[in-house]
Amino acid sequence: MRPPVPLSAVRIFEAAARRRSFKAAAGELNLSPSAVSHALRKMEETLGVALFERVGQGIAPTPAGEALRDHVGRAFAELDRGFDLVANRGPQLLRLHCAPSFAAQWLAPRLARFLSAHPGVEVRLAAGMDYARFITDEFDADIVYGPPRGEGLVRLPLGPETVTPLCDPARAARIREPSDLLAQTLIQSDNKQVRWTHWFERNRLATQPSAGIRFDRSFLALAAAADGLGVALESTRLAERELATGRLVAPLSGRSQDLSYVGHHFVCPADARRRAPLRVFARWLTEELGVPLGPDLA
């Protein structure tokens, strides 16, 4: 059904209601104040209802105007998202939220490679433990740690991660078998799903471990272990750089039972998956990790 008034008049109404000023709306839309006033007066006549009232030296929407402003604002927001979805001019923005340790340890070191391969994509990255609230349209996608939450989301598991004891080379020389860890300072990551008690149980060590140092982020635990403060039980995926440079080693590799679990997921609203930057990033992410893209994002 076509609106009873021209779309141009609706845009003028939205600007005037948002700015609470005919003059400010005119400046925003590059129109004269008289043109704004005329368009809104004609709109009121067509609808048969007053949309604005004088308040002191300014204006304010009437109750009917406020109700219409809410609907019009959401409609223009949807239009903007639609144009952003199909437009292919200028930088294509990807607004990404990510779990802090994955962002710092795995994603950030690879972003230069992604941007070099896709020069038309601009990435805006924010890290935090809280899940992205897609209802505010602040982010296009999230890389979450732990089970994804929320309805109507596309969920992509980012593959299994191996969790094993990690420490600096000097400390590793004193660790030959799992029981040697009982004499070491153990670093605990409080927000990890896999903890020292799980590893001790897997390796049939009856003594319960006591954590000497505690952190709330994996990247802090890895940094502490690399600096010689103790042994961290962490994902080799998150520790790739430290393992590659030799700052961290896995002293019990091949001599103990490692743990494996799917720790991270890529999630996005179902309607956001059509955006070109998101699809490009999802494809790159799965290729880097060696996991299937999945039918929802293919």
Side-chain angles (χ1 to χ4, degrees):
M1 178 180 176
R2 293 176 60 85
V5 295
L7 187 59
S8 58
V10 178
R11 174 60 83 181
I12 293 172
F13 164 78
E14 189 277 334
R18 173 167 40 82
R19 303 292 295 270
R20 293 178 177 264
S21 166
F22 290 172
K23 183 177 180 180
E28 177 180 318
L29 300 174
N30 198 27
L31 298 171
S32 66
S34 61
V36 169
S37 178
H38 175 75
L40 292 176
R41 185 167 59 251
K42 188 172 182 180
M43 185 173 175
E44 289 177 325
E45 292 173 356
T46 301
L47 297 176
V49 63
L51 298 174
F52 295 95
E53 59 186 352
R54 290 286 178 182
V55 178
Q57 298 299 314
I59 61 165
T62 64
E66 286 285 6
L68 182 59
R69 176 180 177 269
D70 289 341
H71 288 279
V72 167
R74 289 195 297 270
F76 278 122
E78 284 297 317
L79 279 173
D80 289 340
R81 281 192 287 270
F83 286 124
D84 184 54
L85 175 65
V86 301
N88 190 28
R89 55 185 184 276
Q92 297 291 289
L93 177 63
L94 173 66
R95 302 165 302 171
L96 182 65
H97 187 270
C98 187
S101 292
F102 192 94
Q105 294 292 125
W106 192 92
L107 181 57
R110 289 171 168 79
L111 273 182
R113 187 188 310 171
F114 170 76
L115 295 173
S116 177
H118 305 282
V121 178
E122 175 187 347
V123 176
R124 186 181 301 162
L125 176 63
M129 291 297 295
D130 294 336
Y131 287 15
R133 297 186 63 196
F134 294 116
I135 58 174
T136 63
D137 194 39
E138 185 178 359
F139 297 103
D140 301 308
D142 195 359
I143 297 176
V144 303
Y145 178 71
R149 303 172 189 168
E151 300 296 328
L153 299 178
V154 174
R155 297 170 169 83
L156 177 64
L158 296 183
E161 300 179 40
T162 297
V163 178
T164 192
L166 301 171
C167 64
D168 66 288
R171 187 180 295 271
R174 305 193 295 271
I175 302 173
R176 297 297 181 185
E177 57 186 52
S179 60
D180 290 340
L181 290 175
L182 298 174
Q184 301 297 321
T185 299
L186 303 183
I187 300 172
Q188 177 73 45
S189 296
D190 287 337
N191 290 316
K192 294 290 287 188
Q193 295 183 15
V194 178
R195 303 195 175 208
W196 279 112
T197 52
H198 304 127
W199 190 90
F200 271 49
E201 290 171 2
R202 171 64 64 86
N203 287 275
R204 298 182 175 85
L205 290 174
T207 304
Q208 291 298 308
S210 57
I213 309 176
R214 309 182 76 94
F215 294 101
D216 65 348
R217 300 288 188 271
S218 288
F219 70 86
L220 295 175
L222 289 168
D227 287 338
L229 297 184
V231 184
L233 183 69
E234 288 293 342
S235 161
T236 56
R237 174 180 290 171
L238 297 184
E240 280 182 353
R241 286 186 301 170
E242 290 81 1
L243 289 169
T245 60
R247 294 189 68 222
L248 286 176
V249 296
L252 295 173
S253 177
R255 290 177 283 179
S256 65
Q257 297 294 316
D258 294 329
L259 299 172
S260 180
Y261 78 124
V262 177
H264 294 86
H265 292 76
F266 178 83
V267 300
C268 67
D271 59 350
R273 61 185 168 177
R274 298 190 299 269
R275 297 193 66 240
L278 186 147
R279 297 171 70 88
V280 166
F281 179 81
R283 187 176 302 108
W284 171 84
L285 178 66
T286 54
E287 289 174 354
E288 287 283 325
L289 292 170
V291 299
L293 180 59
D296 290 332
L297 291 166

